[in-house]
Amino acid sequence: MADDNLISPNEAEIEFLNLAYNKFYDIYDDVFTDEFWDKDEFYRFSKVKMVFSIYAEIINYEPLRWTIKLIKDNRPPMEAEIASDLFKFIRNILAHFPFFDTWNSVWINSLLVNWYKKGLTIDKFLIKYEGHKEIKYRYWEEKRKLMTNITISFPKKYSGGAQVYLKDILTEKEGVKFALILMKKVLNTQVEEVTERN
């Protein structure tokens, strides 16, 4: 008897998920090399923009939405919000304001965010989390035998045109590594096996 709770991806989902997962893992592996951080800022920024876009698309897959709900119900406070709301927020900034060449140069304010229409997703996120207390995490890098502590900070001020820098929310190196680790944790819930490609 089949388990009614299991959903197999359809043909289109398999096509998309294979491409998306493969590219995500490629970038993930690249980010966790020392050579990646020796490359110029624009190269790093391009890869990071790509990985946030891929993740934002993949989590539209229904079983991953269930995973986010499970995280919300069973993991420490704010982990689900970071794995969904924060990462989508970052993806939206990078996609909708493609004026910047490096992570550390990305900024927005309420005027820029609402240039077209008020109350869209970036604006909603910033209003909701303005002044929210910072969140501290740590992660372990097995290859480097290194534990890293990071802080995710939310804007103290957003309304009234205050500039909000992405680097002040999540740092480029340690913050991006943390983001990819959490993304991979979410994505791996749908992986049955990983094989090396040639």
Side-chain angles (χ1 to χ4, degrees):
M1 186 169 158
D3 185 346
D4 290 336
N5 292 325
L6 295 177
I7 291 183
S8 294
N10 63 38
E11 188 179 354
E13 289 168 335
I14 289 170
E15 182 89 12
F16 172 78
L17 292 169
N18 277 328
L19 288 168
Y21 269 80
N22 285 336
K23 191 63 173 180
F24 175 87
Y25 288 139
D26 287 346
I27 296 172
Y28 181 95
D29 289 344
D30 195 16
V31 166
F32 282 89
T33 65
D34 291 333
E35 293 79 22
F36 179 81
W37 299 101
D38 291 335
K39 305 238 186 205
D40 70 79
E41 288 181 288
F42 182 73
Y43 173 86
R44 296 193 313 258
F45 187 56
S46 300
K47 292 291 185 175
V48 170
K49 280 171 64 172
M50 191 180 305
V51 85
F52 272 92
S53 290
I54 291 166
Y55 179 79
E57 291 301 322
I58 295 175
I59 63 170
N60 289 319
Y61 181 51
E62 189 173 2
L64 287 171
R65 291 199 305 264
W66 299 339
T67 298
I68 296 293
K69 181 170 181 350
L70 284 172
I71 292 171
K72 191 168 198 159
D73 294 343
N74 299 301
R75 296 288 302 152
M78 290 296 291
E79 192 168 308
E81 289 80 358
I82 289 165
S84 58
D85 297 350
L86 177 63
F87 294 164
K88 279 187 184 176
F89 161 76
I90 291 171
R91 177 264 175 206
N92 286 341
I93 290 172
L94 300 177
H96 296 299
F97 303 105
F99 319 125
F100 306 101
D101 294 328
T102 67
W103 182 269
N104 291 334
S105 66
V106 178
W107 64 269
I108 53 172
N109 62 26
S110 57
L111 295 172
L112 186 60
V113 166
N114 295 309
W115 78 271
Y116 172 66
K117 184 178 179 183
K118 280 189 172 195
L120 297 177
T121 56
I122 297 172
D123 190 44
K124 284 181 187 173
F125 178 90
L126 288 165
I127 289 168
K128 180 176 180 179
Y129 291 104
E130 181 179 20
H132 193 286
K133 67 180 183 180
E134 60 187 24
I135 299 167
K136 296 187 180 291
Y137 280 97
R138 66 177 176 218
Y139 62 86
W140 174 253
E141 287 183 70
E142 181 62 35
K143 277 185 184 174
R144 301 178 74 209
K145 305 294 185 212
L146 179 68
M147 181 71 76
T148 302
N149 295 301
I150 69 144
T151 301
I152 296 171
S153 301
F154 297 92
K156 290 181 176 37
K157 187 84 175 140
Y158 162 64
S159 50
Q163 281 191 335
V164 174
Y165 278 86
L166 189 53
K167 68 183 172 75
D168 295 336
I169 296 171
L170 197 66
T171 61
E172 182 191 10
K173 186 174 183 179
E174 293 80 10
V176 165
K177 284 183 173 186
F178 163 76
L180 267 66
I181 288 169
L182 185 52
M183 289 176 188
K184 186 177 180 184
K185 184 173 154 186
V186 170
L187 298 182
N188 280 355
T189 63
Q190 302 305 307
V191 174
E192 291 176 7
E193 105 181 79
V194 176
T195 57
E196 290 294 319
R197 293 183 296 156
N198 292 331

